[in-house]
Amino acid sequence: FESPAPDAVRYRQIANEMMFLYDTQEREPLFILCCKISLLLFGDSDTSLRILTFILSIALIPAIYKVGKELFGIVPGLVSAMLLAGCTDWAWSGSRGMRLELFTLVLMPMTWAIFTDKVTDRKRHGLLLAASTALTCAVRLTSLWFCLAGCAYAIWRRGWDTRVFAKVAGLAVLPLLPFVIYCGVKFGDPMHTANIHAKWYRNYELVGVEGGITEAQMIADPYGGPKVS
């Protein structure tokens, strides 16, 4: 195996230091919690994170088949699952200890809830939309905008009252509030987990650009420079 990605090394460090559910520093809590469990089960090593993401990548194959079958039919679902199972890049990604597999997996119920034509009970469907939004955002907080947009679309196409959206949004955000408060107290910025990575991407784009920063500066302090949100 190649060395774990820098992000995976940081995930392991945070998981080891984690004292309670939302104590995940600059990272969202759900994947760090999974890392913590994997480290407890399989030992404190890089291999434990590889085992976790390998299991998640395998679980995604039947999940994408199920959602594809429900939305488009057996053939599209089967083809999607086969393409994923045979993708060497996905197999490589699944051995790196990253959160992409979990993020894609939690998007599956959200995708089904948004696009399904199946008639479901309003209360149950609203709870599914809220729960899948919360889970997705607990992996990547920046997903909130498109999850809420998807919820709004799902509610609109069913002709439900706009108050349903307010309830769904409230229930979705509720489990995320402790983490936002945690970031506000610890870092002075409730959206720290999103903003700090916006700084990284901003700095990355400035490497080698006239008036920007050098590669050495990026390596020395990738999160430096003025604040951005």
Side-chain angles (χ1 to χ4, degrees), residues 151-165:
C151 291
Y153 172 73
I155 290 167
W156 169 79
R157 70 194 295 260
R158 285 168 175 77
W160 291 345
D161 194 286
T162 53
R163 287 175 295 182
V164 176
F165 174 75

Side-chain angles (χ1 to χ4, degrees), residues 22 29 133-135 137-138 141 144 171-181:
Y22 293 99
T133 296
L135 285 172
C137 294
L141 190 59
L144 183 61
L171 287 172
V173 170
L174 192 61
L176 303 172
L177 282 179
F179 181 65
V180 172
I181 293 170

Side-chain angles (χ1 to χ4, degrees), residues 82-170:
M82 290 175 64
L83 287 172
L84 182 66
C87 178
T88 55
D89 282 344
W90 187 253
W92 170 77
S93 174
S95 68
R96 301 198 72 210
M98 304 289 278
R99 61 179 176 171
L100 177 62
E101 292 76 19
L102 180 62
F103 181 65
T104 312
L105 192 60
V106 295
L107 277 175
M108 291 296 101
M110 166 64 69
T111 303
W112 182 86
I114 291 173
F115 295 107
T116 183
D117 291 323
K118 186 176 290 185
V119 178
T120 56
D121 175 73
R122 181 184 300 191
K123 185 176 180 180
R124 287 176 57 191
H125 204 87
L127 286 173
L128 176 60
L129 286 168
S132 54
T133 296
L135 285 172
T136 303
C137 294
V139 181
R140 284 182 173 169
L141 190 59
T142 49
S143 307
L144 183 61
W145 73 270
F146 73 75
C147 285
L148 291 182
C151 291
Y153 172 73
I155 290 167
W156 169 79
R157 70 194 295 260
R158 285 168 175 77
W160 291 345
D161 194 286
T162 53
R163 287 175 295 182
V164 176
F165 174 75
K167 292 176 182 178
V168 167

